[in-house]
């Protein structure tokens, strides 16, 4: 269950939510389709439900014995959305293959590795293919087309427009908005990593994604937030494509983030715009350097 542990926990929690509204669970294939996971994962979920005395499982009959309680759920920090799990597994495959144009991605193998259904994997790949980085081939195969300089320039141009708009909205958030507390936590992690940069510089890429997603969410614009999912995949992983001078590059980016965060907390629009533009300029240069 190691590879699909997070998938299992996320799907288990969602199954409990479904269970709270019914007296019996559907068949295994139906439950798998509903949760977007494999039949193996469905059986693991049902086994745990039976162990917790949530259901009575007699072959095809799965009767709900009691309503789930808060203690039955896995903690939220132990789960990720299925989309996040698929994204990470997809990018691990890309990076393991050196992100070389022409490398093949098999959706059946990827689904098996994650422990989820092929439908969820296919939906992710179709969505990702809109940007021209991968192309569908017959027999469940996809081909990586490559990451060009022109693509990177177009992507950064859109990212900069969206982030400047989002940063301007962030400073207008009320003082009691939860985004400010999350920003405080993110700032603390930045300082912790910088204090031990030699050992923790590799943690920057995930922190980078967390910080910029927080900024983009403040836009309250569904199109900006949706597009950022794709932007994040590219910018999150380009730090791993280009390993040259990673420590120094990440240390500089952490300092830029702290200046950006200070500007956001100042609520001064001009300071925010300057800090945002300065950091995005560095991010663009780093991304371009990662392209052969």
């Amino acid at each position: 269950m190691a590879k699909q542990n997070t998938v299992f926990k996320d799907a288990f929690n969602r199954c409990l939510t479904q269970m709270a509204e019914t007296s019996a669970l559907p068949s295994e294939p139906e439950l798998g389709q509903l949760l977007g996971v494999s039949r193996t994962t469905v059986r693991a979920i049902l086994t745990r439900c039976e162990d917790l005395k949530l259901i009575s499982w007699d072959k095809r009959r799965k009767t709900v014995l009691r309503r789930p309680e808060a203690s039955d759920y896995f903690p939220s920090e132990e789960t990720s959305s299925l989309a996040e799990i698929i994204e990470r597994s997809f990018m691990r495959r890309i990076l393991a293959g050196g992100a070389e144009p022409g490398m093949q991605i098999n959706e059946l193998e990827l689904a098996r590795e994650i422990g989820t259904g092929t439908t969820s994997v296919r939906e992710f790949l179709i969505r990702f293919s809109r940007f021209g980085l991968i192309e569908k081939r017959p027999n469940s195969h996809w081909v990586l087309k490559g990451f060009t300089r022109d693509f990177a320039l177009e992507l950064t141009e859109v990212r900069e427009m969206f982030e400047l708009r989002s940063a301007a909205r962030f400073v207008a958030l009320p003082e009691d908005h939860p985004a400010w507390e999350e920003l405080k936590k993110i700032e603390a992690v930045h300082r912790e990593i910088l204090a031990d940069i030699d050992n923790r510089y590799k943690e920057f890429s995930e922190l980078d994604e967390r910080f910029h997603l927080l900024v983009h969410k403040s836009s309250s614009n569904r199109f900006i937030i949706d597009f950022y999912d794709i932007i994040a995949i590219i910018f999150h992983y380009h730090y791993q494509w280009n390993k040259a001078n990673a420590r120094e590059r990440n240390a500089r980016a952490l300092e830029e983030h702290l200046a950006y965060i200070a500007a956001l907390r100042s609520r001064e629009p001009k300071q925010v715009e300057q800090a945002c533009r300065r950091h995005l300029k560095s991010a663009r240069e780093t991304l371009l350097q990662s392209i052969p």
Side-chain angles (χ1 to χ4, degrees):
M1 182 68 69
K3 287 182 180 178
Q4 62 190 62
N5 191 41
T6 310
V7 173
F8 164 71
K9 291 179 179 180
D10 173 68
F12 178 81
N13 282 0
R14 288 187 287 117
C15 182
L16 294 196
T17 301
Q18 293 289 329
M19 195 182 301
E21 303 173 356
T22 185
S23 60
L25 292 175
S27 67
E28 291 176 30
E30 290 174 324
L31 193 56
Q33 186 172 12
L34 179 67
L35 300 175
V37 296
S38 67
R39 194 164 183 174
T40 300
T41 303
V42 168
R43 288 174 177 169
I45 290 170
L46 293 174
T47 298
R48 181 173 175 83
C49 287
E50 190 175 35
D51 291 342
L52 293 174
K53 303 293 190 295
L54 285 162
I55 64 169
S56 171
W57 184 14
D58 182 16
K59 297 180 180 178
R60 295 187 178 182
R61 283 189 2 186
K62 306 166 200 69
T63 306
V64 175
L65 299 177
R66 65 177 178 85
R67 297 291 177 240
E69 301 173 355
S71 60
D72 295 318
Y73 290 81
F74 285 106
S76 58
E77 61 268 20
E78 293 183 20
T79 65
S80 296
S81 71
L82 186 57
E84 291 172 332
I85 296 165
I86 295 172
E87 172 195 311
R88 287 197 293 267
S89 298
F90 169 72
M91 291 309 301
R92 276 198 299 267
R93 278 190 167 240
I94 295 294
L95 292 168
E100 294 291 333
M103 76 169 290
Q104 293 191 353
I105 303 116
N106 186 296
E107 63 188 41
L108 296 174
E109 291 177 2
L110 187 57
R112 192 178 303 117
E113 176 184 303
I114 298 169
T116 188
T118 55
T119 301
S120 299
V121 170
R122 188 177 301 117
E123 287 175 353
F124 169 81
L125 294 173
I126 290 171
R127 181 164 174 264
F128 195 80
S129 69
R130 292 182 300 163
F131 296 86
L133 283 178
I134 59 174
E135 185 176 78
K136 182 76 170 68
R137 296 291 171 82
N139 302 322
S140 302
H141 278 83
W142 296 77
V143 174
L144 183 68
K145 297 180 67 176
F147 189 77
T148 66
R149 186 178 182 84
D150 286 343
F151 181 93
L153 289 170
E154 291 174 19
L155 185 70
T156 55
E157 183 178 6
V158 175
R159 181 197 187 186
E160 288 164 12
M161 288 190 295
F162 283 177
E163 181 135 359
L164 285 166
R165 166 78 159 67
S166 301
R169 289 292 298 271
F170 196 102
V171 298
L173 294 173
E175 291 185 6
D176 59 351
H177 194 284
W180 291 109
E181 183 61 30
E182 176 65 10
L183 185 67
K184 183 178 179 180
K185 293 177 182 177
I186 289 173
E187 181 181 13
V189 178
H190 276 73
R191 299 193 185 282
E192 290 170 7
I193 294 177
L194 271 174
D196 190 19
I197 191 66
D198 289 339
N199 297 312
R200 299 184 62 181
Y201 70 90
K202 293 181 180 178
E203 297 177 33
F204 174 70
S205 59
E206 290 189 12
L207 183 61
D208 181 71
E209 180 181 10
R210 180 181 172 189
F211 170 56
H212 287 289
L213 180 58
L214 177 68
V215 174
H216 278 74
K217 281 184 175 179
S218 69
S219 69
S220 299
N221 184 308
R222 73 188 74 180
F223 301 105
I224 290 178
I225 296 169
D226 181 64
F227 185 70
Y228 185 73
D229 288 344
I230 297 298
I231 294 176
I233 293 173
I234 304 301
F235 280 88
H236 174 52
Y237 287 99
H238 86 269
Y239 292 102
Q240 300 179 50
W241 293 346
N242 179 16
K243 296 181 174 61
N245 304 315
R247 180 202 175 282
E248 292 75 14
R249 187 177 67 241
N250 290 358
R252 184 177 67 252
L254 284 162
E255 295 284 5
E256 290 176 357
H257 273 194
L258 287 173
Y260 189 174
I261 290 170
L264 289 170
R265 295 179 69 171
S266 76
R267 292 180 177 268
E268 290 292 335
K270 189 171 182 180
Q271 288 186 36
V272 171
E273 181 178 349
Q274 290 175 343
C276 180
R277 287 188 182 279
R278 189 181 307 117
H279 175 58
L280 294 179
K281 181 175 182 291
S282 293
R284 179 174 67 247
E285 292 170 352
T286 302
L287 180 62
L288 293 174
Q289 289 169 7
S290 73
I291 303 170

